[in-house]
Amino acid sequence: MPTNTYVDHAPGYVDNEGPKIVTSRFGYEDSYTLERSLATGGYEGLRTALTKAPADVAAEVKDAVLLGRGGAGFPAGIKWGFMPPVWPRYLVVNGDESEPGTYKDRLLMERDPHQLIEGCIIACYALGLNTCFLYVRGEMADAQERIGTALNEAYEAGLVGKNIMGTDVSIDVVLHWGAGAYIVGEETALIESLEGNRGMPRLKPPFFPAAKGLYHKPTIVNNVETLANLPWILSNGAQAYKEHGSEASPGTRMLAISGHVNRPGVYEVPQGVVSFRELFYGDNYCQGIKDGNELKAFIPGGASAPWFFDDQLDVLLEAKDAGAAGSMLGSGAVVVMDETTDAVKACLRVVRFFARESCGKCTPCREGTSWEEKVLQRILDGYGREEDIDLLLDIGKNISPGEYPVAAFGKANLEAVPFPPKQTTICPLGPSSVAPITSAIRRFRHEFEAKIAAGPQNDGHSQAPEASTV
Amino acid sequence: MTTAEPTEAVTGVPFTLNGTELVAEEGELLIDACDRNGVHIPRFCYHNRMKPVGMCRMCLVEVDTGRGKALQPSCMLPVTPEMKVETESEATKKAQDGVLELLLANHPLDCPVCDKGGECPLQDNAYAFGPGETRFVEEKRHFKKPIPISDLVKLDRERCILCDRCTRFASDVAGDPLIHFIDRGSQTQVNTFPDHPFSSYFSGNTVQICPVGALTAEPYRFKARPWDLEAVESTATVDSTGARVVLQSSQNEIVRVLGVDSDAVNWSWLSDKERFSYEATAKGDRIEQPLVKNEETGMLEATRWNNAAKKVGAALRVEPDRIAAVGGARMPLEGQYAWAKLLKGVVGTDHVDAQLDDGLPGPLVLGLPRATINDACKPGGVVVTIGADLKEELPTLFLRLRHAVVEDGVKLIELTSTATHLSDFATVRFDVTPGSVGQFATAIAKQAGADLDFDVADESGLVEAQADKVAAAAALLDGSVPVTIIVGRGNLAESPRFTSDAVGIFRRLNDDFQFMPALRRGNINGALEMGLVPGFTPGGVQRESAQLDTWPDVPDFDGMDTKEIFRAAAEGRIDTLLLLAANPLQDFLDEDLVRRALANVKTVIAVDGISTETTDLADVVLPAALFGEVDGTFVNLEGRLSPLRAKVTPPSQARPDWMIPAELAIVLGVELGFTTIDELHSELSEVLPSFADIDWDTLGSSDDGPVLKLNRSWNIEFGKPAAAPPATSAFRLVATRKLWDQGTMVQESPSLASLPSEAAIHLNPDDIERHGFVGDSVTVRIGDQTHTIPLTSDVRVNPTTASIPVCLPGFDARTLITGRSTTAVEIRPNGTT
């Protein structure tokens, strides 16, 4: 039986054995109140930070090798260093978590909003800026409400706003609700949306947000979980942080596991020491595949990630290892598919999501993703043609030329940006739709071929045209 | 003059294009650098007059900036040193072919019935790129076939390839963000907001820049096929901006006007009036034959040119000071010169005025040093506007100025009686009560250090209340940066005297300030230059200093302006009145005076192309050829000469304007000295120094055209400005003009005729509240008359000011204008007196 200590809506947090860096308060019913936060060490990290020089706080974070938890896994401390000495400058918190299968930021926002706010203030202090925009996904009403309430409490208590904790540091946090668009999780689209425009990504280069972002001022966009780590790092020090996880990827990650496992949910897992095999089968984690079935495939890091199969079970849960194996840990959403899964259907389900969520800006993504969806649907309906498989792969090449997947983080050396991008689009949404197709066809081509060979099946869902005569 | 540095180094950015080493300009976009070097990169969304978005992805090329080859949109990428670009590589081809195939996936292949077919960038690129045959076997996307997004423009969303050109134009260039993307994925579409049509003065530009047939303009839909069109470059004559256009005709009828990308003038943009009012010439109520009034029936009857000319000749054989002429701003320069020569040089009258008391004093306009549009819009400069909302008066100039202020950091100081469509971007904006602009100018000039021998007369404290703005404006006008003053007639209910005063004060502040007359009427600058203004002969020369060897005579008295001419005519002091394409019953502020004048003149001669209420009352009507039917020359507000070209033949017996006075001269026994337009040009070059170097044959071959050197040998004396009227409890009236009005060109164009809105009096919402005006109309009292007028709440109107546009249907605002230096009206809640 899955044991969820906290059930609010969907399967939630699983309180397993292991270090608790960002989920330490999740067990409390009133974990989201200021009272509970203060009673359990809340805002102590901020208090410590304010006793140091901003540059020392930034150095501490850099020293901790805090990897960004939004998807790309870029070290936050190094990202912060890209900001030119230009003011005003802004911190934008990306709370637009909408990658299918990902729901860890939602829990962080709903269960411990004060930890996030504290992280925001620490980051603002370290970066020498006084305005932070907290962008929360449109559909997350509870998170919006809890952050709003928490902000009011924090302002009241002098923890946000003018003269924080009696110092001469003043930082405002502005809560902004999204309008419900996946693409706004992309940082430049989020900035556009925040400026009041339609959420469509900006081309980068020439300008990365750190140089020209919100209102064309230097802007750091950080993920919710990234910032939620800051209070612990400041309270306990970078050294203590690095004692958890692996050397390349210190600390823990929030992983949202869904699909065919016995105990789905969000786990806080030390980075780089646990393998997927342990995650799926270990007693401390998911406790095996549902009904004792065989594993067929799994998506290691959100719908955008190329699929892994049983031969990648021993890959460790860290960005570097997953990247070297040809996919990514991405947003920390692991979707498990067992042997009962129809590869074509699963593929269609993911592609359909991207086709619906394409912002419509770049032609290859706008037209390509919906074309892919239509071809997959046709194959599923039994009207596929032999050439459709190659067609799917070639549409993919027009969105994402060259070999896909590209290990997003394959090299150990931390280049400033993943360049050159292997895509004909501005942002990675379009190429994301290619990942499941190439993954599924590469491994399960025979399933596609079988569907095409079988022809139309009268399953009540799809009907051959001649069968529909009255 | 500085000596050039003896440096031979090539300045610019070196880069490699397909293996050839080339040099790009600093900051130049890759796509432009390739264009300049003869390598064409396909594109849909990129437009050289708008900011790039990198949306269509058609211009992807393989670029290596030292970090490996990558596909980059060349429209977004400034060339950087040592960049290596491959436009023909395998990867580039694959990407471009892929994008084209994807663009066509959902595009309906209805080219045979599409207006764009034959001139369609998508069609052209489909021949050059893409797989040739589609692999897309699914059903295409469907939307309702064309939906009207405004009165003039229809949108077919199925054809749209979502390049963001029209939407970018609407929001970034025109400032009318009324169309936008809605929905997402392959259902993304351009649309308007519910119940907010794309009613922009510039909507036609979106049709011109649409790279497919998604946007079509009502006047041209299904009228012609591109390969049947004949085209000639010309100049728009509906206002004095002089936008460069292409006239396209089919079967001897103009069917479309497109903007030409003239760097100096209109950057390819046009207002809808410039674009669509060609309809008036083809579909308007044209005068096709000479008409003479039958003495018995009082009806105009068609006659032969000889008869009409004889009749006119007889009417011109009276004392010169009993002959007057009004109008002439619509004509090409050649017609204006010929009429000036006939009237002033042959007949000998100086009662000639091209303006209908709705502009600025002729001597003022002729005497000011001119700025070009590019001077005014140069980054780093300051522009002062005195007068009207340029969006209503000179919309294409407005677009250039808007770009300069919004994108290029030109500082704007506004001295206008109502807020304009540029006010949001103004650095300093004054609330100028009618009659007080001279006092504001005085205050600014004094603060900026002008040596004036008088003080600000500010009894009402208006100027004092805006002292901080005065200081800010004075700081901008300290002479450290170039200043252009755009001066127009912003208020028909106010004497132009106040504007002249303000201009004079700025002139005294700094000699280097340049000016631009924002007069509305088409070729008014040509008319003034050709001497269709009392006291002057062609070339802006004062009558007494005229040296015109080819002229038989010059007038020996100083003539009257239009207002005085009508007064004199009403009193029976004028025997012969010529109306040169003028419709004073519509356009002159005192309609009653015009009626009395027309009734008391022995012979009224109307020369016009379109029948109006005024021509109906004439004794002789001579038919003139119109825009698109004659060759000629246009002088815009910069003094720039550009060609007018004939594309279609004039109807029946209508003649080019310049021929009419030439023929009348023969009737009077004189030769005007030219029988062809070339001879007329030779004479102009011979007698006018400013035209001496004009190469008439190549006038149209460059985008820019020569600018007349308008340096005058005489100077206007400017004195103390007229005192502002005292503050009263009454509202000061601002009578403005709208782009869409009851004017002939709009009303005779079927597609435009219904666009003018109903007249309403505009009041500031605070005033409406303070005075307790309820309901949608108010009672306006002027003298002993009261009128009930619809009321509009308008934040652009200053408090204690009432604004009303003239020449609109519903209510004739001219009845409120008294002719005093400013007009005060009492406004009461509706139903009270």
Side-chain angles (χ1 to χ4, degrees):
Chain A
M1 278 289 288
T3 51
N4 294 332
T5 49
Y6 162 63
V7 179
D8 206 349
H9 297 292
Y13 170 65
V14 183
D15 191 3
N16 63 334
E17 295 293 315
K20 303 286 179 226
I21 288 178
V22 291
T23 61
S24 61
R25 290 183 199 95
F26 276 32
Y28 298 102
E29 276 295 318
D30 60 349
S31 62
Y32 51 87
T33 61
L34 180 61
E35 196 184 345
R36 173 61 64 194
S37 177
L38 291 175
T40 51
Y43 292 97
E44 285 310 310
L46 174 59
R47 195 176 301 282
T48 313
L50 290 175
T51 62
K52 302 179 174 194
D56 294 340
V57 177
E60 185 89 40
V61 174
K62 193 172 174 184
D63 189 32
V65 197
L66 173 61
L67 302 182
R69 305 293 204 257
F74 196 76
I78 292 178
K79 192 175 189 176
W80 289 3
F82 293 148
M83 261 193 167
V86 173
W87 277 264
R89 41 164 66 177
Y90 302 107
L91 173 69
V92 172
V93 184
N94 185 345
D96 192 88
E97 178 188 54
S98 33
E99 186 80 14
T102 319
Y103 48 102
K104 43 115 183 158
D105 288 346
R106 178 169 65 82
L107 293 184
L108 283 169
M109 291 188 281
E110 285 175 359
R111 294 302 297 165
D112 201 348
H114 282 289
Q115 179 175 261
L116 172 61
I117 292 166
E118 185 184 354
C120 294
I121 303 292
I122 292 169
C124 289
Y125 178 68
L127 291 164
L129 49 82
N130 58 22
T131 312
C132 162
F133 293 90
L134 222 167
Y135 190 105
V136 182
R137 180 180 163 186
E139 291 92 333
M140 293 183 181
D142 284 356
Q144 291 160 1
E145 196 178 311
R146 289 212 169 143
I147 291 175
T149 309
L151 269 177
N152 286 342
E153 288 176 331
Y155 263 100
E156 190 87 358
L159 300 167
V160 180
K162 283 229 179 312
N163 302 104
I164 292 170
M165 290 181 172
T167 64
D168 57 358
V169 178
S170 299
I171 295 161
D172 279 316
V173 177
V174 180
L175 174 63
H176 186 90
W177 301 1
Y182 168 72
I183 188 57
V184 172
E186 200 277 340
E187 57 184 3
T188 58
L190 186 146
I191 286 169
E192 284 284 314
S193 170
L194 202 51
E195 288 182 6
N197 302 325
R198 180 182 162 95
M200 285 173 144
R202 294 175 182 168
L203 187 70
K204 50 177 189 180
F207 302 123
F208 286 83
K212 276 192 177 182
L214 186 64
Y215 308 121
H216 275 240
K217 299 293 177 203
T219 303
I220 289 293
V221 183
N222 276 150
N223 171 261
V224 165
E225 188 190 341
T226 314
L227 293 171
N229 274 287
L230 293 179
W232 198 97
I233 293 174
L234 267 293
S235 292
N236 300 283
Q239 278 315 313
Y241 190 72
K242 286 200 274 193
E243 281 162 21
H244 299 291
S246 71
E247 198 183 334
S249 316
T252 60
R253 277 214 69 165
M254 298 273 279
L255 293 179
I257 295 114
S258 58
H260 301 144
V261 288
N262 284 324
R263 192 167 68 159
V266 172
Y267 294 82
E268 182 165 9
V269 186
Q271 291 200 98
V273 290
V274 180
S275 67
F276 282 104
R277 187 184 301 280
E278 192 181 342
L279 183 69
F280 298 155
Y281 296 98
D283 278 349
N284 192 29
Y285 298 104
C286 299
Q287 301 175 342
I289 305 296
K290 220 168 154 185
D291 302 333
N293 286 342
E294 288 296 312
L295 176 74
K296 180 167 183 170
F298 61 98
I299 309 176
S304 314
W307 296 1
F308 275 166
F309 311 97
D310 49 8
D311 21 340
Q312 277 95 18
L313 270 176
D314 291 319
V315 169
L316 295 177
L317 292 168
E318 82 177 312
K320 187 181 151 197
D321 221 29
S327 185
M328 59 178 182
L329 268 197
S331 64
V334 185
V335 182
V336 181
M337 296 176 260
D338 72 7
E339 58 188 304
T340 64
T341 311
D342 183 328
V344 185
K345 270 187 185 167
C347 190
L348 171 64
R349 183 63 62 92
V350 178
V351 170
R352 177 184 289 156
F353 172 81
F354 291 114
R356 296 288 196 277
E357 289 295 340
S358 166
C359 78
K361 187 166 185 175
C362 305
T363 306
C365 171
R366 179 183 70 235
E367 305 294 344
T369 52
S370 62
W371 189 2
E372 288 167 346
E373 182 200 342
K374 282 179 173 165
V375 175
L376 283 166
Q377 182 69 58
R378 197 155 44 76
I379 293 173
L380 207 57
D381 289 350
Y383 297 101
R385 304 165 302 169
E386 266 179 46
E387 62 264 37
D388 281 339
I389 297 174
D390 287 338
L391 174 62
L392 279 171
L393 291 172
D394 195 59
I395 298 171
K397 278 209 161 57
N398 283 338
I399 304 173
S400 176
E403 288 307 308
Y404 201 92
V406 176
F409 207 62
K411 294 174 199 162
N413 68 344
L414 303 175
E415 279 279 354
V417 287
F419 192 90
K422 292 281 186 211
Q423 55 197 45
T424 58
T425 53
I426 289 175
C427 85
L429 191 153
S432 295
S433 75
V434 180
I437 292 176
T438 52
S439 301
I441 293 180
R442 188 172 65 180
R443 188 77 169 206
F444 308 112
R445 193 178 180 110
H446 55 278
E447 288 190 37
F448 287 78
E449 286 167 346
K451 286 235 162 29
I452 290 167
Q457 305 294 307
N458 196 350
D459 57 359
H461 171 67
S462 59
Q463 287 193 331
E466 55 269 23
S468 64
T469 45
V470 179
Chain B
M1 243 194 102
T2 54
T3 9
E5 289 289 316
T7 167
E8 298 303 317
V10 182
T11 55
V13 185
F15 75 113
T16 310
L17 176 59
N18 297 335
T20 312
E21 287 184 11
L22 297 166
V23 178
E25 288 161 18
E26 195 71 42
E28 193 175 20
L29 291 172
L30 179 54
I31 197 167
D32 290 335
C34 291
D35 273 350
R36 228 168 23 81
N37 289 292
V39 174
H40 178 77
I41 299 174
R43 82 285 307 262
F44 294 106
C45 67
Y46 177 67
H47 188 280
N48 63 329
R49 294 296 184 190
M50 294 194 287
K51 272 185 263 182
V53 280
M55 188 133 178
C56 72
R57 319 303 290 175
M58 192 65 208
C59 72
L60 287 171
V61 291
E62 216 176 3
V63 177
D64 187 349
T65 53
R67 290 198 278 179
K69 288 179 179 176
L71 287 166
Q72 293 283 300
S74 54
C75 72
M76 296 281 291
L77 200 65
V79 180
T80 52
E82 310 310 331
M83 185 182 258
K84 289 187 177 58
V85 185
E86 295 286 343
T87 66
E88 304 284 337
S89 69
E90 196 96 336
T92 303
K93 286 271 166 228
K94 167 81 177 140
Q96 291 176 345
D97 286 354
V99 170
L100 198 101
E101 183 185 25
L102 289 163
L103 280 171
L104 288 173
N106 270 309
H107 185 80
L109 297 176
D110 59 349
C111 310
V113 296
C114 176
D115 271 337
K116 199 79 177 181
E119 57 175 14
C120 174
L122 181 60
Q123 204 176 31
D124 294 346
N125 280 329
Y127 284 111
F129 302 90
E133 278 183 42
T134 184
R135 296 178 291 177
F136 187 84
V137 296
E138 332 297 331
E139 186 171 356
K140 297 198 181 209
R141 181 179 64 201
H142 285 299
F143 288 116
K144 193 179 165 210
K145 275 287 184 182
I147 51 168
I149 55 170
S150 76
D151 291 321
L152 292 167
V153 179
K154 282 197 159 76
L155 167 65
D156 182 333
R157 289 163 295 172
E158 291 183 350
R159 291 179 187 158
C160 175
I161 58 166
L162 301 162
C163 68
D164 200 17
R165 277 187 177 191
C166 59
T167 42
R168 249 182 305 160
F169 174 84
S171 63
D172 297 357
V173 180
D176 298 322
L178 295 165
I179 44 174
H180 209 287
F181 292 124
I182 61 169
D183 224 323
R184 59 180 91 159
S186 62
Q187 289 297 308
T188 310
Q189 53 183 285
V190 172
N191 215 324
T192 58
F193 298 95
D195 303 323
H196 284 81
F198 179 47
S199 42
S200 166
Y201 289 162
F202 308 101
S203 64
N205 293 297
T206 62
V207 177
Q208 180 170 338
I209 61 180
C210 182
V212 291
L215 291 165
T216 45
E218 198 58 48
Y220 176 72
R221 278 173 68 80
F222 307 128
K223 287 287 190 311
R225 304 311 320 248
W227 51 87
D228 288 333
L229 294 175
E230 294 172 29
V232 68
E233 280 200 24
S234 187
T235 306
T237 59
V238 296
D239 69 36
S240 67
T241 313
R244 302 299 306 279
V245 295
V246 171
L247 306 181
Q248 296 181 324
S249 71
S250 171
Q251 298 175 16
N252 201 29
E253 184 185 326
I254 294 175
V255 291
R256 184 163 69 169
V257 172
L258 297 174
V260 169
D261 192 350
S262 153
D263 193 57
V265 187
N266 56 314
W267 284 13
S268 83
W269 310 132
L270 293 179
S271 70
D272 286 356
K273 194 171 176 183
E274 288 163 320
R275 188 180 298 274
F276 298 125
S277 61
Y278 70 84
E279 280 190 334
T281 60
K283 300 196 168 76
D285 183 9
R286 294 296 299 271
I287 302 165
E288 303 193 354
Q289 288 168 305
L291 307 170
V292 170
K293 189 180 273 175
N294 183 319
E295 297 297 338
E296 288 165 21
T297 62
M299 300 293 286
L300 285 167
E301 289 174 359
T303 183
R304 291 183 298 135
W305 264 103
N306 279 358
N307 284 343
K310 250 183 237 165
K311 181 120 177 138
V312 175
L316 292 176
R317 283 198 191 92
V318 296
E319 281 298 304
D321 72 343
R322 297 187 70 83
I323 298 173
V326 167
R330 193 262 301 136
M331 295 175 183
L333 186 82
E334 290 76 6
Q336 292 165 339
Y337 178 74
W339 274 108
K341 189 170 181 184
L342 177 77
L343 291 165
K344 295 200 167 180
V346 176
V347 173
T349 177
D350 196 44
H351 302 318
V352 179
D353 193 357
Q355 300 192 80
L356 296 179
D357 193 32
D358 55 356
L360 295 170
L364 180 78
V365 178
L366 283 170
L368 293 172
R370 293 282 176 101
T372 64
I373 297 174
N374 280 351
D375 288 341
C377 294
K378 204 170 194 171
V382 172
V383 169
V384 182
T385 56
I386 302 173
D389 187 349
L390 290 173
K391 190 176 184 180
E392 303 289 352
E393 300 261 321
L394 302 171
T396 310
L397 177 65
F398 164 82
L399 290 189
R400 286 293 314 274
L401 203 58
R402 188 181 185 279
H403 180 94
V405 174
V406 176
E407 305 291 342
D408 291 343
V410 168
K411 300 269 198 306
L412 177 67
I413 300 171
E414 274 197 339
L415 284 157
T416 58
S417 289
T418 54
T420 74
H421 285 84
L422 284 173
S423 295
D424 289 348
F425 311 111
T427 309
V428 187
R429 190 194 126 57
F430 292 95
D431 294 342
V432 178
T433 308
S436 63
V437 67
Q439 303 305 330
F440 278 98
T442 308
I444 295 166
K446 281 209 161 238
Q447 182 110 24
D451 180 22
L452 302 178
D453 46 2
F454 46 83
D455 285 321
V456 182
D458 185 31
E459 284 78 22
S460 52
L462 277 170
V463 180
E464 183 58 36
Q466 299 178 53
D468 49 338
K469 292 185 188 173
V470 169
L476 289 173
L477 299 178
D478 63 357
S480 59
V481 291
V483 173
T484 305
I485 298 177
I486 300 179
V487 53
R489 181 79 180 271
N491 182 1
L492 295 169
E494 176 193 273
S495 160
R497 163 86 203 272
F498 300 107
T499 304
S500 300
D501 290 343
V503 167
I505 287 158
F506 285 125
R507 192 97 179 84
R508 286 173 65 167
L509 169 61
N510 191 330
D511 258 356
D512 294 335
F513 288 178
Q514 290 184 298
F515 293 82
M516 185 179 285
L519 299 176
R520 179 166 158 130
R521 294 185 177 275
N523 201 8
I524 184 65
N525 292 287
L528 297 177
E529 194 61 25
M530 290 300 102
L532 296 180
V533 53
F536 286 85
T537 57
V541 178
Q542 281 169 306
R543 183 181 56 78
E544 54 266 29
S545 353
Q547 289 179 322
L548 295 158
D549 299 340
T550 62
W551 284 34
D553 198 6
V554 285
D556 52 8
F557 59 91
D558 270 335
M560 300 183 283
D561 67 16
T562 295
K563 198 178 193 172
E564 293 161 342
I565 288 171
F566 283 133
R567 279 193 192 138
E571 290 164 10
R573 289 187 277 124
I574 298 290
D575 289 334
T576 303
L577 177 64
L578 289 109
L579 299 169
L580 307 178
N583 181 9
L585 283 173
Q586 172 80 63
D587 294 344
F588 190 73
L589 290 173
D590 189 345
E591 185 186 348
D592 183 54
L593 177 65
V594 177
R595 284 196 190 280
R596 282 187 282 128
L598 296 180
N600 286 318
V601 166
K602 282 193 188 129
T603 313
V604 177
I605 299 153
V607 183
D608 213 334
I610 292 176
S611 174
T612 67
E613 55 264 66
T614 308
T615 59
D616 290 348
L617 295 179
D619 298 291
V620 184
V621 181
L622 303 177
L626 290 179
F627 175 68
E629 297 167 353
V630 283
D631 286 334
T633 309
F634 187 89
V635 184
N636 82 346
L637 42 69
E638 307 165 284
R640 185 183 304 279
L641 297 183
S642 53
L644 297 168
R645 290 284 173 261
K647 191 71 220 73
V648 295
T649 49
S652 193
Q653 298 193 44
R655 291 188 178 176
D657 287 295
W658 70 270
M659 283 186 190
I660 299 172
E663 170 151 341
L664 293 175
I666 293 168
V667 174
L668 294 174
V670 186
E671 294 270 349
L672 272 196
F674 36 81
T675 53
T676 66
I677 205 159
D678 289 340
E679 287 174 17
L680 193 155
H681 286 160
S682 306
E683 176 166 332
L684 272 174
S685 295
E686 189 187 323
V687 298
L688 300 178
S690 50
F691 286 79
D693 300 329
I694 303 296
D695 182 352
W696 297 94
D697 294 332
T698 60
L699 208 53
S701 58
S702 89
D703 276 351
D704 298 354
V707 179
L708 291 176
K709 289 179 190 66
L710 300 171
N711 290 329
R712 303 304 178 207
S713 55
W714 45 276
N715 247 322
I716 318 168
E717 288 298 319
F718 293 106
K720 184 180 171 184
T728 65
S729 63
F731 284 85
R732 292 278 156 201
L733 191 68
V734 180
T736 61
R737 287 175 289 209
K738 305 283 282 181
L739 184 70
W740 302 134
D741 60 12
Q742 300 273 79
T744 309
M745 293 309 277
V746 173
Q747 287 310 306
E748 296 291 323
S749 300
S751 303
L752 307 179
S754 65
L755 295 178
S757 52
E758 294 279 313
I761 196 150
H762 296 242
L763 296 178
N764 188 286
D766 291 346
D767 279 341
I768 292 177
E769 203 185 320
R770 188 175 322 122
H771 292 270
F773 298 143
V774 289
D776 44 17
S777 63
V778 284
T779 299
V780 177
R781 192 182 161 114
I782 178 97
D784 53 0
Q785 292 186 332
T786 58
H787 305 276
T788 301
I789 307 176
L791 172 69
T792 299
S793 172
D794 188 347
V795 289
R796 290 185 195 277
V797 178
N798 296 337
T800 74
T801 304
S803 169
I804 188 165
V806 299
C807 204
L808 290 187
F811 176 74
D812 188 348
R814 292 182 296 175
T815 52
L816 298 180
I817 299 171
T818 56
R820 294 199 193 92
S821 62
T822 61
T823 307
V825 290
E826 284 183 43
I827 303 179
R828 305 259 170 79
N830 194 12
T832 60
T833 51

